[in-house]
Amino acid sequence: MRSALSVRILSVALLLAGTAAPAVLLGQAEAKRGGITSDAAVALRLGTLGVGFELGKQIMDHLSARVGINFGSLSSSGKQQTDITYDTHLKLKAVEALLDFYPSKRGVMHFTAGLLTNPVTITGNGQPSAGGTFTINNNVYTSAQVGKLRATGEFPGASPYVGIGFGTPADRGGRVKFLFDLGVGIGKPKLTLTSTGAASNPTLQADLDVQRDKTQKDLNKVPVYPVISIGLAVHL
């Protein structure tokens, strides 16, 4: 179901992009004839979703639509999570389909709602202590007993998004505009914790399950993914 939701959002994004493109060309043609603006823009963003590319279109005076794709990666070593230390890797890849509502007619400040695909997948490779052991659910295991230990955290395939921001695809003022967005993708990441040694060690598997549940409980305390981005838009 998660894959189906992602495919559906991508289809909506492509549809919006396909309808916006001819509108841009029509607006440019009309601008040449009678001074009417295109009210469309392309943007480059940078933030907690990674590097993003975006296409926006003003639909009416108080409403605009935008679609975007974001990607990036980040790695860190020695991150402590409960009783285990991990080398972690974050893979950022998200698609957005959003609507912006402007309280002021053809304004800049807006409230945003829409959908966001899985913003980040986190993988962590467990590292033994200096003594070559792992502490899992307060029990100590040797590296040989545990083997390869991996944790994976993944957000839902599609999550609601709400936020506020500044910026508009409407033609007003200069051609290049500053963009800022602050919001959250609403959804809890799901954690998995596996060990190659657990297949032949039921006690280790039981401790891994308890350890996973403890960490999942911590993650559930903040069931959102924070989204902060800045960028520049160029009006078409």
Side-chain angles (χ1 to χ4, degrees):
M1 180 175 289
R2 188 166 61 188
S3 298
L5 285 172
S6 299
V7 170
R8 185 174 299 175
I9 292 172
L10 287 171
S11 298
V12 171
L14 290 172
L15 178 60
L16 285 172
T19 56
V24 170
L25 296 176
L26 177 61
Q28 290 175 336
E30 289 177 340
K32 292 179 182 180
R33 294 197 302 268
I36 299 175
T37 60
S38 66
D39 280 348
V42 293
L44 175 66
R45 290 181 178 269
L46 179 64
T48 55
L49 292 176
V51 177
F53 297 94
E54 188 175 85
L55 173 64
K57 173 65 180 170
Q58 194 82 14
I59 300 173
M60 54 184 68
D61 288 338
H62 293 278
L63 187 68
S64 69
R66 52 189 165 112
V67 293
I69 184 169
N70 308 267
F71 54 88
S73 63
L74 179 67
S75 297
S76 64
S77 301
K79 182 176 178 60
Q80 184 75 25
Q81 182 62 50
T82 315
D83 296 326
I84 308 173
T85 300
Y86 293 96
D87 289 341
T88 59
H89 178 74
L90 280 68
K91 182 179 180 181
L92 303 164
K93 188 175 182 181
V95 174
E96 306 163 287
L98 307 173
L99 291 174
D100 295 323
F101 171 75
Y102 300 86
S104 300
K105 182 177 180 179
R106 296 179 68 82
V108 176
M109 183 268 179
H110 56 77
F111 298 98
T112 303
L115 291 175
L116 176 70
T117 63
N118 174 27
V120 61
T121 298
I122 306 170
T123 57
N125 295 316
Q127 300 300 317
S129 67
T133 61
F134 290 92
T135 301
I136 301 173
N137 189 33
N138 298 319
N139 294 317
V140 178
Y141 294 89
T142 65
S143 295
Q145 289 175 311
V146 173
K148 292 183 179 180
L149 179 64
R150 171 166 286 198
T152 303
E154 190 173 14
F155 281 81
S159 302
Y161 173 89
V162 293
I164 60 174
F166 296 88
T168 174
D171 287 342
R172 45 171 293 165
R175 189 179 182 191
V176 179
K177 294 297 179 60
F178 174 76
L179 305 174
F180 173 77
D181 273 88
L182 174 66
V184 292
I186 303 171
K188 300 176 182 178
K190 182 179 180 181
L191 180 70
T192 59
L193 185 61
T194 61
S195 162
T196 55
S200 58
N201 190 334
T203 302
L204 172 58
Q205 182 62 62
D207 280 335
L208 286 172
D209 292 341
V210 173
Q211 184 78 60
R212 179 202 60 215
D213 292 343
K214 287 181 180 179
T215 307
Q216 183 70 62
K217 187 176 180 179
D218 290 338
L219 294 174
N220 290 345
K221 293 177 181 178
V222 186
V224 296
Y225 183 83
V227 177
I228 304 173
S229 73
I230 59 173
L232 292 175
V234 178
H235 294 289
L236 302 175

